[in-house]
Amino acid sequence: MDKSKRTFWQNPWNYKEGFTIAIALVIVGFLIEIISGKGFLKMPSWPVNAIVIVLFIAYLLISSIIIKHPIIKFLSSISASISAVTVFTILILIMGLVPQNDSKMPDFVAKIGLSHVKSSYAYLLSSTYLITILGYTIIRRVKSFSLKNLAFFFNHAGLWIILVTASLGSGDLYRFKMVVNEGNTSMEAIDGKNVYPMPFGIQLIDFSIAPYPPNILLYSKETKEPVYEKTKGLNEVIEGATYQMKNWKVKIDKYLPMAKMKTKDFNTDTTIGAVHAVYLTAINSEKDTVKGWISTGNIFFNNAYIELGEKYYIAMTTPSPKEYKSLVNIYKMPEGKVEQTTISVNKPVSVKGWTIYQTGFDEKMGRWSTQSVFDVVKDPWLPMVYIGIFMMLLGSLYLLWTGKK
Amino acid sequence: MTWQEFPLFFYITSTLWIIGLLLQIPGKRTTIKIISEILIIAGTLTIITFTIFLWINLGRPVFRTLGETRLWYSIFLAIIGIVMYYRWKMRVIIAYCILMANLFIFINLLHPDVFDKTLMPALQSPWFIPHVVVYIIGYAFLAFSSLMGIIGLIQHINKMNTDKTIKIADDVVYIGFAFLTFGLLFGALWAKEAWGHYWTWDPKETWAFITWLVYLLYIHIRIKHKSKTGFSFWTLSFVFVFLLICWFGINYLPSASNSVHVY
């Protein structure tokens, strides 16, 4: 067939038609957004989302067998996928460049959904078109068994599964916060203003932070800014360490990780509000000597610092947390079973289909926080997403091994 | 070993690398070529040694700060350059990779890291190293592919034969893309463990996805339009820009001020 004589919309379709469809869908998305006045709110939950997926797969399979129209061949072609992916990528690019906050963007941007792309109709239509093409492509290609076709299947079907189950599964995804104070038990999760009862209770026995040691720094009297000596780096507070800081030689004579001031000295004290305290000796090039206590600050006490000569103060930085965790009792309702466990960052705990994550604490109280903040998440579709991820990992291993062959 | 000793190692590595590269210029003479290769390998081992001792001294995985990742980028780029040079026998490969590797440690000389032993709790995970390493390796391979893109463009414009160049480019993009996929998926698996969801459209995640999509497009363009090599070289050179934006650029984007990945 003479390609140059093909008119627009004459079969077989190619890039012109592909881009037209993809862009048209985005424009329709914009129009729906303007008319409805808001973005796409929420995916359906079980069992509707599962039914949608099953029907969609059935539709893809049946239509590719029964329908002999060239449009099906087009939808499983590379030109269809390239044009669809390009338009989809441009949408994601807009998401990457435009601040995704309706209140911070001009009206017309928010009206068509570009400041909330992931919940916009343009994104919904564009991604639906994409997974339709992906679905037809998989069906068309996987007609015979070979290692190459298996890898193709893992990569493409893996991606399909991730996209479909992650998006439709979000209808059953819940993420809330639970804030618990030491000694108390909470059985409710919050999401902004809404409160949800949970099938379990968390009793916070003890919240603890293990901080890194503070660092000791010079601050300029004039600018009040810290004075760094770049390659020498931050000076960690270690008892007995000596640091050269500008023209001062500073020795850390004593380091008390938990201390309180009593008359003129700091003494070890582990009660609430304790700070890190350091007794130092500083000598400069002219043999001037300064000795004294410095300490970190918190909500209870200001930090203590010392003047060094005319130019500098010497003080400690606020220590950052090395680890923080919550010792909790988890009550399973309505069974009434209790389990004591520890929840820390990167080590969540699961109970009754919910997973509890240590995500925060009372930052004003810092080290002395008696409050723990948890994220509680219910994600029943997660295993499906993991299957898709696992398939793509295997498919990528194949690409790594063979290159383009 | 701390960053205080870095300038010394930088000067040794750079000297070995630059003299090694200069000795590549004469061309075919075997002895000179062997000396050149020895110097380049020695330079690479020097910077690897520094990094290993820095890791031991810091007491935490050396992948947290931008300066630290630049060290690894430099190392992997040098290793890939050496391996690809032996595989494909093209001098321009080792020249580009070693010069890029040198550039990255030069940036470290100009912008020294502050020696900081801390690692925030969210980063204390077995996923930290794999996630960052596969991305660094992926970026290194794709940077190499961009070199092939530029060489290919020059060859194409001068009507030279581009068969070898496009073959290397395609193989390297597949390898780099595979690592990019690992990085994206490892990140998702880690995110689920750390804060409860595998994908939150954080600006870095969004840009990582964009980078993945544009290289995906290149791969499919190459499958469908095998003969259009000129267009392929343009595409390959262009998509590297997205990788760079994802790596460095998001720190400057207004849309990214709330990202957990801005460092």
Side-chain angles (χ1 to χ4, degrees), chain B residues 15-254:
Chain B
T15 310
L16 288 169
W17 274 349
I18 304 239
I19 298 180
L21 283 184
L22 287 171
L23 288 179
Q24 282 282 322
I25 296 177
K28 302 241 174 201
R29 309 238 204 99
T30 332
T31 335
I32 296 183
K33 213 152 158 276
I34 291 178
I35 297 175
S36 149
E37 290 163 13
I38 290 175
L39 290 177
I40 291 173
I41 292 175
T44 310
L45 288 172
T46 309
I47 195 71
I48 290 176
T49 307
F50 169 79
T51 308
I52 291 174
F53 281 112
L54 180 69
W55 188 329
I56 294 171
N57 212 293
L58 269 177
R60 62 163 175 81
V62 187
F63 291 98
R64 202 195 82 198
T65 67
L66 206 52
E68 288 163 16
T69 58
R70 276 195 291 259
L71 259 185
W72 290 104
Y73 196 71
S74 178
I75 291 171
F76 282 118
L77 211 46
I79 294 173
I80 288 170
I82 293 168
V83 170
M84 286 302 186
Y85 162 79
Y86 279 116
R87 171 76 180 83
W88 297 104
K89 310 266 185 285
M90 282 166 77
R91 286 185 297 167
V92 68
I93 291 177
I94 196 150
Y96 174 87
C97 288
I98 295 294
L99 283 175
M100 279 263 276
N102 214 345
L103 175 66
F104 281 101
I105 51 174
F106 181 58
I107 295 175
N108 273 354
L109 189 74
L110 295 180
H111 293 283
D113 253 3
V114 178
F115 186 77
D116 182 0
K117 287 189 180 179
T118 64
L119 195 65
M120 51 193 267
L123 294 180
Q124 293 174 30
S125 159
W127 284 110
F128 179 39
I129 296 177
H131 173 64
V132 178
V133 164
V134 295
Y135 258 123
I136 291 176
I137 297 175
Y139 281 6
F141 273 105
L142 293 176
F144 181 78
S145 78
S146 75
L147 165 71
M148 289 296 117
I150 295 167
I151 292 176
L153 260 184
I154 296 170
Q155 289 173 331
H156 177 79
I157 290 170
N158 291 311
K159 308 227 188 286
M160 294 159 62
N161 185 290
T162 55
D163 288 348
K164 198 174 177 190
T165 312
I166 196 76
K167 169 106 180 63
I168 300 173
D170 283 343
D171 280 338
V172 168
V173 166
Y174 270 64
I175 298 171
F177 184 75
F179 277 108
L180 225 56
T181 309
F182 289 144
L184 208 60
L185 297 176
F186 286 175
L189 293 170
W190 183 10
K192 188 67 187 171
E193 289 300 296
W195 30 74
H197 200 42
Y198 42 80
W199 193 264
T200 55
W201 293 107
D202 178 271
K204 187 84 168 189
E205 288 171 357
T206 305
W207 277 96
F209 190 36
I210 293 170
T211 307
W212 190 84
L213 285 168
V214 295
Y215 279 97
L216 186 79
L217 277 170
Y218 171 81
I219 288 174
H220 286 78
I221 287 170
R222 284 295 301 143
I223 292 171
K224 169 92 178 173
H225 304 285
K226 268 191 99 90
S227 53
K228 293 208 172 105
T229 44
F231 177 64
S232 299
F233 289 128
W234 276 113
T235 309
L236 193 51
S237 309
F238 177 59
V239 294
F240 190 56
V241 173
F242 293 98
L243 192 155
L244 291 174
I245 295 175
C246 178
W247 192 16
F248 303 116
I250 64 161
N251 295 328
Y252 305 102
L253 288 177

Side-chain angles (χ1 to χ4, degrees), chain A residues 368-399:
Chain A
W368 298 107
S369 171
T370 51
Q371 183 182 87
S372 196
V373 178
F374 302 104
D375 272 23
V376 294
V377 179
K378 186 171 191 171
D379 192 2
W381 287 83
L382 185 65
M384 293 303 307
V385 178
Y386 276 168
I387 289 173
I389 289 180
F390 183 63
M391 286 168 73
M392 281 197 84
L393 287 174
L394 283 181
S396 295
L397 269 177
Y398 178 84
L399 288 183

Side-chain angles (χ1 to χ4, degrees), chain A residues 91-158:
Chain A
L91 263 185
I92 308 294
L93 192 55
I94 292 171
M95 206 196 300
L97 291 169
V98 172
Q100 296 292 289
N101 188 329
D102 287 335
S103 52
K104 288 198 178 147
M105 296 309 292
D107 254 352
F108 75 90
V109 170
K111 275 216 168 76
I112 51 176
L114 291 182
S115 48
H116 56 262
V117 174
K118 67 176 189 260
S119 55
S120 70
Y121 282 96
Y123 175 78
L124 180 68
L125 293 176
S126 182
S127 48
T128 306
Y129 180 50
L130 197 64
I131 54 167
T132 306
I133 292 176
L134 188 55
Y136 279 125
T137 304
I138 295 167
I139 294 169
R140 172 172 165 182
R141 169 70 179 257
V142 191
K143 294 259 163 76
S144 60
F145 183 83
S146 68
L147 193 58
K148 194 170 178 202
N149 279 350
L150 187 65
F152 180 94
F153 180 75
F154 275 156
N155 276 319
H156 292 75

